[in-house]
Amino acid sequence: FFFKQKTAYEMQRGLVGSEMCIRDRDKRAKEESEERLKRMKDLNLELIQHNELEKELKEKMISLEKERDKAMVAEIMEMNNRQAELENNLREKRLAEAKETLKTISNKSEIQRREEQLIEQLAEEERKKQMMREDEKWKKEQEAKITLLTQVYEDRAQAIDYKSQ
């Protein structure tokens, strides 16, 4: 192996070994730094995109939750409205039944009152008839007594007349 000696011309055109290492090292460090910077920018861009996607996803989730909540609230309100309507219908039905029952009771009371009046009237008529029968009986008894006494007096008068003759 043999090294060829370089001339001054050749030396000026190129760098010697240690100078080349220094030059290459600065160039490599600069390239590595630029590469790292580029990777950092790419990572930052990816991170920003990821964060934006996460933010959009979170907003969609919140929006979906709000929609579900609205739907649930609407459903609960509808159920409450139906329940209130059913309760109102039931209340109205019971009120109508109560009115009908009251009317029936009132009618029965009226019928019972009329029946009691009729019974009282019939009882009064029966008392009057009884009294009339008793009065008639008493009159007949009085007439019979009078007739009997009249006959007794007439018979005595005849007996006295007969004895006096």
Side-chain angles (χ1 to χ4, degrees):
F1 245 123
F2 214 12
F3 288 108
K4 182 180 170 195
Q5 190 98 9
K6 292 189 179 184
T7 62
Y9 175 77
E10 291 173 334
M11 286 177 96
Q12 280 185 350
R13 281 186 38 201
L15 296 173
V16 251
S18 63
E19 289 176 339
M20 283 179 67
C21 284
I22 292 170
R23 183 200 67 187
D24 287 347
R25 185 178 63 195
D26 287 343
K27 190 176 180 183
R28 263 186 279 131
K30 187 176 179 183
E31 286 175 358
E32 285 176 2
S33 175
E34 287 176 358
E35 183 67 28
R36 233 182 295 127
L37 185 62
K38 185 178 182 224
R39 274 186 292 175
M40 291 291 281
K41 284 181 181 179
D42 290 345
L43 283 174
N44 281 340
L45 284 175
E46 284 180 27
L47 185 61
I48 289 170
Q49 288 174 346
H50 175 75
N51 287 343
E52 286 176 359
L53 288 174
E54 264 189 9
K55 184 179 176 182
E56 288 177 17
L57 183 63
K58 190 173 183 179
E59 287 173 356
K60 284 181 183 179
M61 292 297 289
I62 290 171
S63 175
L64 284 173
E65 284 180 21
K66 284 181 180 179
E67 288 177 23
R68 271 188 266 150
D69 289 348
K70 284 179 184 178
M72 194 178 349
V73 166
E75 186 177 333
I76 290 170
M77 288 182 70
E78 180 63 28
M79 285 176 22
N80 286 344
N81 288 341
R82 282 184 281 173
Q83 182 70 24
E85 186 178 335
L86 288 173
E87 287 174 0
N88 193 24
N89 289 343
L90 184 61
R91 191 177 309 117
E92 287 177 4
K93 182 181 177 184
R94 287 190 178 156
L95 183 62
E97 288 174 354
K99 285 181 180 179
E100 188 63 32
T101 303
L102 186 60
K103 185 178 176 182
T104 302
I105 290 172
S106 177
N107 287 342
K108 285 183 179 181
S109 278
E110 182 63 26
I111 290 170
Q112 188 175 4
R113 187 184 62 77
R114 286 181 187 166
E115 286 175 350
E116 287 173 359
Q117 281 180 343
L118 184 60
I119 289 171
E120 285 180 28
Q121 187 180 8
L122 290 173
E124 184 63 30
E125 287 177 11
E126 191 60 35
R127 276 193 296 269
K128 285 181 182 178
K129 285 180 185 178
Q130 186 69 27
M131 286 181 71
M132 287 176 65
R133 277 184 262 162
E134 286 179 9
D135 282 348
E136 216 171 289
K137 184 179 173 186
W138 184 76
K139 281 182 185 177
K140 285 182 183 178
E141 285 177 0
Q142 286 295 346
E143 285 176 7
K145 283 182 187 177
I146 292 174
T147 307
L148 183 63
L149 285 174
T150 306
Q151 275 183 349
V152 169
Y153 285 131
E154 285 177 5
D155 284 345
R156 279 193 184 171
Q158 282 178 0
I160 294 176
D161 281 345
Y162 183 68
K163 281 185 181 182
S164 16
Q165 287 178 337

